[in-house]
Amino acid sequence: MKIPPFAGTALAALLTLSPAAQAHKLWLLPSHTVVSEAQWITVDASVSNDIFDVDRPFPLQGLTVTGPDGKEAPVDHRFEGHRRSSFDAELSQEGSYRITLFRPMYMAFYQLDGERHRRRGDSAEALLREIPEGAEEMRLSEVMNRLETFATVGAPSDFKPVGKGLELQPVTHPNDLYAGETALFRFLVDGEPAAGVEVEVVPGGSRYRDNHGALTATSDDNGEIKLHWPQAGRYHLEAAYSDDRAAHPKADGRRLQYMGTFEVLPL
Amino acid sequence: MRPWLSLFAALFAGVAAANAAAAELRLEVEIPRMAVAEYHAPYLAFWLKHADSGEIVPLGLWYDDQDKWLKDLRLWWRRTGRAQSKPYDGLTGATRRPGIHSVDFSPLPALAELPAGDYELVVEAAREVGGREVVRLPFQWPATGNKTVRADGEQELGRVQLRLAP
């Protein structure tokens, strides 16, 4: 299937429908992930081919920073530049913070006058009203992308699953990752362990390599994957899943994607 | 007609007439099929490097007219690309899909004037959101008989074969 190129916006990449990993990767990159006193951190957000080298910005709608007490932490200096978006987050308490960008959407695909079209929108109803008359082969799909990273003041604390879409439930804490060790992560779909989630992990610094050097894994019956960290650095993890549990009755399915940034420290 | 074909025709008309018994330098290059979610045909660059002097003779460039990605042909860019501007030297043309493609560099005026010696033909491939690879084929110019030099890429290039004739 050939899909005509989208307008080259980062939002397009955020909404791209593909079961496998995307190469124009979206990411959040925190300045610090493990700190020993309360402080502000800064987070860059970009979509790029070179992992963790900025290229294009994207809107920060749907951003939440959740503190160890389950409450939202303060965010400051939201900014969308020419090559990246950025914001600061205040880590004022001991424990772990989850930084998430989650914006469920719907996408409509249809043919009109022999040409393929697609549209996106926050509401399925509004999107359906926008479909022009005479459109054929209309297909509606729910898209749930979660973009995430973590930071911890002092000792790591646990996260409660959100229970919506595809998410990563850390068995190994995401701020307790060290080179040479193996991490265990569990993937949940709507809060339940999900088997068969395809995962791709790319080490940062791909600009300086001739290939992406991606590690791949598929979640087992418990929704779990094991990842061995060959060396210290930042890693981009991307997981994808699809099912037919879209909320809107006219949607034929759901595409779920999880994109996380993990920092592995040397010991 | 692709731009390089017209260039090819123009060059061929001029050079072949003047140099009917021109030596032959043809390349067959395989672009491997990739099982990836997002595929872009690779950009390819071809050039000769004189073994002793290191002098570069650009032979060609396959790209999609987007200068943005030319820097990803990192070796070509450093050796010759960054000192050029459109139209790039040699036989330029559009990117090719996976498969075996052949290109005949024989009509290039630069070859008619190429001093005798040891050379490498260098092929570099760079694929957007994919990898990059360089393959080198050493040969002597002019060829003393019909010769074939072959090298195999590992990722971005398959078999690369150079055919020479005096």
Side-chain angles (χ1 to χ4, degrees):
Chain A
M1 178 176 71
K2 186 161 169 79
I3 296 173
F6 245 55
T9 65
L11 188 63
L14 186 65
L15 297 168
T16 304
L17 294 182
S18 167
Q22 280 305 300
H24 293 91
K25 293 191 189 301
L26 280 130
W27 45 264
L28 297 171
L29 186 67
S31 58
H32 303 75
T33 60
V34 172
V35 295
S36 43
E37 61 177 0
Q39 60 197 263
W40 285 88
I41 63 167
T42 193
V43 182
D44 282 340
S46 186
V47 53
S48 70
N49 289 346
D50 295 333
I51 300 307
F52 305 134
D53 285 299
V54 301
D55 193 22
R56 288 179 288 155
F58 54 80
L60 294 176
Q61 282 144 289
L63 171 71
T64 45
V65 180
T66 310
D69 56 0
K71 295 195 176 109
E72 274 196 41
V75 169
D76 203 359
H77 298 125
R78 283 165 175 259
F79 146 87
E80 193 179 323
H82 286 287
R83 305 304 293 250
R84 76 187 151 125
S85 304
S86 189
F87 57 92
D88 295 335
E90 188 180 20
L91 317 184
S92 57
Q93 311 164 43
E94 295 264 323
S96 297
Y97 288 74
R98 177 163 56 196
I99 300 161
T100 306
L101 217 141
F102 183 65
R103 195 178 167 200
M105 291 209 148
Y106 280 87
M107 290 199 71
F109 303 82
Y110 56 90
Q111 297 266 7
L112 186 64
D113 302 329
E115 276 186 43
R116 195 184 290 275
H117 292 266
R118 55 180 173 182
R119 271 173 194 256
R120 56 179 181 265
D122 290 323
S123 137
E125 288 303 328
L127 191 58
L128 288 170
R129 279 196 298 273
E130 285 175 22
I131 307 298
E133 245 176 77
E136 292 174 336
E137 296 176 41
M138 211 285 292
R139 198 162 65 75
L140 187 69
S141 201
E142 190 174 10
V143 181
M144 280 189 178
N145 287 340
R146 186 186 302 279
L147 195 55
E148 204 159 68
T149 193
F150 306 88
T152 295
V153 184
S157 60
D158 289 340
F159 300 100
K160 279 203 188 74
V162 178
K164 195 173 174 192
L166 178 62
E167 65 184 310
L168 180 144
Q169 184 185 35
V171 182
T172 306
H173 195 282
N175 297 134
D176 192 28
L177 307 176
Y178 293 91
E181 294 186 357
T182 298
L184 185 65
F185 292 149
R186 184 179 300 130
F187 287 94
L188 308 178
V189 170
D190 296 342
E192 297 297 321
V197 178
E198 291 171 46
V199 182
E200 186 186 276
V201 180
V202 178
S206 55
R207 177 180 283 180
Y208 310 109
R209 295 192 298 268
D210 279 345
N211 52 58
H212 289 281
L215 317 164
T216 55
T218 303
S219 67
D220 65 15
D221 289 346
N222 300 317
E224 292 173 356
I225 58 160
K226 279 182 180 163
L227 290 172
H228 177 78
W229 308 108
Q231 57 193 34
R234 285 139 158 177
Y235 290 80
H236 182 269
L237 180 150
E238 197 164 13
Y241 192 79
S242 53
D243 63 22
D244 56 5
R245 292 157 74 176
H248 196 275
K250 284 193 177 153
D252 62 359
R254 234 176 22 159
R255 299 298 184 109
L256 310 172
Q257 236 185 331
Y258 179 93
M259 292 152 283
T261 299
F262 299 88
E263 185 173 42
V264 175
L265 297 173
L267 266 191
Chain B
M1 191 189 248
R2 286 179 169 157
W4 73 266
L5 280 174
S6 50
L7 176 63
F8 178 101
L11 286 169
F12 195 80
V15 178
N19 195 359
E24 186 180 302
L25 193 147
R26 279 171 189 277
L27 194 71
E28 243 176 39
V29 51
E30 182 185 7
I31 297 175
R33 198 165 293 280
M34 305 270 173
V36 291
E38 180 182 344
Y39 181 80
H40 302 271
Y43 278 29
L44 259 71
F46 312 91
W47 67 96
L48 298 181
K49 181 189 168 212
H50 190 268
D52 297 330
S53 70
E55 199 181 322
I56 300 296
V57 181
L59 292 183
L61 177 68
W62 294 350
Y63 76 122
D64 279 341
D65 235 24
Q66 291 194 71
D67 286 358
K68 179 179 179 181
W69 307 112
L70 287 180
K71 57 145 178 76
D72 291 340
L73 291 161
R74 290 199 297 272
L75 192 61
W76 173 83
W77 183 250
R78 187 178 188 209
R79 294 282 181 260
T80 176
R82 67 186 182 188
Q84 298 186 37
S85 55
K86 265 183 205 169
Y88 295 96
D89 290 348
L91 301 175
T92 60
T95 54
R96 310 295 172 88
R97 305 299 295 178
I100 295 170
H101 303 277
S102 65
V103 51
D104 185 1
F105 295 115
S106 315
L108 282 175
L111 279 189
E113 298 155 11
L114 193 68
D118 290 330
Y119 290 88
E120 252 177 9
L121 189 149
V122 187
V123 183
E124 182 174 26
R127 182 165 54 91
E128 188 192 347
V129 304
R132 170 193 164 268
E133 186 164 29
V134 176
V135 166
R136 297 162 193 275
L137 301 134
F139 69 96
Q140 255 187 356
W141 186 263
T144 48
N146 290 348
K147 289 241 159 64
T148 302
V149 187
R150 182 182 156 168
D152 291 298
E154 286 171 6
Q155 290 200 329
E156 299 302 327
L157 292 167
R159 191 188 64 189
V160 184
Q161 203 157 263
L162 172 64
R163 292 179 198 283
L164 298 156

